[in-house]
Amino acid sequence: MSFGRRVQIKTDEEVEILRESSLLVGKTLAVVAERIRPGVTTLQLDAVAEEFIRDHGAEPGFKGYGGFPNSLCTSVNEAVVHGIPNDRPLVDGDIVSVDCGVLKNGFYGDSAYTFAVGAISPEVQKLLDVTKECLMLAIEQAVVGKRIGDIGYACQTHAEQHGYGVVRELVGHGLGRALHEAPEVPNYGRRGNGPRLMDGMVLAIEPMINLGRKEIFHEEDGWTIVTKDRLVSAHFEHDVVVRKDQADVLSSFIEIEEVIKKN
Ligand code: MG
Ligand code: MG
């Protein structure tokens, strides 16, 4: 996957279009969240998401991207990311990472949330909590004057403190008129290393954290990434604008978490 070379700085007008796209992804994930329960299939979730995206004047950002067949990436349990929706019903105790992209007014939104299906073990709930904490700690580093390595360092340190594996082969990215732009945003790194963060850079930050070891492999479907030790993996993603003192988070989990609380 090519991320391009040139880091683009977005104007304030472009940032507001990106915000609209990113917020639409959050609303789509909230609609998906309402449907998540034992017995539902990820293909059913995908259909709900696609309809919702099109009803809101946007295109699914992933469908057809590099040949990907669906609107959502749905990655269950040991699947890390890029899972293809299928007709296997979710069962009590599963977790499912739902990654969604939209294209609206020429700009992409890209956000992901990992959901519990029914009741999950405390051990797996802890992984979800810590992965989301990794995302928030990473976002704290997305400010003017820091470097890409500071984002990765914050994420990696927190995950490894809990004994989790940080996936190396897949990374966050710049976001704009393309779904994947420069720079790459690894979830591991060294402080003070890598490209300098500048005002107006838009980044999709997306920790992929494994309960066990960090190693992964590609499933035979050519898409799904799975942990080598077959232990579960979690994934959360926000779109943010690098700003002075504090990043501006464009996407939102608020509506998703209102649904989760209700269910
Ligand atoms: Mg994504
Ligand atoms: Mg992404």
Side-chain angles (χ1 to χ4, degrees):
M1 194 173 291
S2 168
F3 288 67
R5 256 191 261 159
R6 166 106 57 93
V7 170
Q8 297 175 47
I9 301 300
K10 269 71 179 186
T11 66
D12 290 350
E13 290 74 18
E14 289 171 329
V15 164
E16 291 318 308
I17 302 172
L18 277 156
R19 192 188 311 280
E20 194 181 327
S21 297
S22 298
L23 289 176
L24 178 57
V25 176
K27 288 188 200 313
T28 307
L29 290 174
V31 169
V32 168
E34 284 174 7
R35 306 297 203 289
I36 292 180
R37 58 175 57 86
V40 77
T41 71
T42 47
L43 263 179
Q44 289 171 327
L45 300 177
D46 184 69
V48 165
E50 178 167 357
E51 186 182 2
F52 188 83
I53 291 165
R54 294 195 190 279
D55 282 350
H56 287 78
E59 298 280 317
F62 298 168
K63 198 165 191 171
Y65 187 86
F68 191 78
N70 293 87
S71 299
L72 298 178
C73 294
T74 52
S75 307
V76 179
N77 296 337
E78 71 268 27
V80 180
V81 288
H82 301 168
I84 300 174
N86 60 33
D87 56 10
R88 185 185 80 88
L90 295 172
V91 300
D92 191 55
D94 279 347
I95 58 171
V96 56
S97 149
V98 181
D99 194 349
C100 179
V102 306
L103 176 61
K104 188 172 184 185
N105 300 317
F107 286 84
Y108 283 90
D110 181 13
S111 179
Y113 200 94
T114 302
F115 297 93
V117 181
I120 60 172
S121 71
E123 185 190 30
V124 174
Q125 183 60 54
K126 181 80 181 169
L127 174 71
L128 300 189
D129 294 343
V130 170
T131 304
K132 202 163 72 172
E133 288 163 14
C134 285
L135 173 58
M136 299 310 168
L137 291 166
I139 290 171
E140 281 178 18
Q141 299 297 312
V143 294
V144 174
K146 295 272 190 180
R147 290 176 182 268
I148 288 290
D150 294 308
I151 293 176
Y153 177 83
C155 176
Q156 179 184 7
T157 309
H158 191 60
E160 289 181 351
Q161 272 168 5
H162 290 84
Y164 298 148
V166 179
V167 174
R168 299 298 201 273
E169 293 87 342
L170 297 137
V171 296
H173 49 91
L175 183 75
R177 289 187 183 276
L179 180 57
H180 297 111
E181 297 183 352
E184 294 193 5
V185 186
N187 296 305
Y188 61 95
R190 285 191 291 145
R191 271 189 286 195
N193 256 57
R196 197 180 289 279
L197 301 181
M198 292 173 290
D199 192 71
M201 281 172 69
V202 175
L203 306 175
I205 302 178
E206 49 181 315
M208 293 155 243
I209 307 297
N210 300 345
L211 184 64
R213 297 179 54 82
K214 66 180 186 298
E215 284 76 19
I216 52 140
F217 70 97
H218 250 103
E219 281 274 37
E220 280 165 18
D221 63 17
W223 282 102
T224 317
I225 306 287
V226 179
T227 58
K228 220 169 214 174
D229 60 15
R230 296 277 177 177
L231 295 177
V232 299
S233 181
H235 176 220
F236 290 84
E237 178 178 24
H238 264 320
D239 304 329
V240 310
V241 191
V242 174
R243 294 298 191 202
K244 199 169 157 287
D245 301 324
Q246 191 172 25
D248 181 1
V249 182
L250 299 178
S251 44
S252 172
F253 293 157
I254 290 174
E255 285 150 311
I256 298 167
E257 291 180 346
E258 280 171 2
V259 171
I260 291 172
K261 231 179 273 167
K262 229 174 32 198
N263 284 357

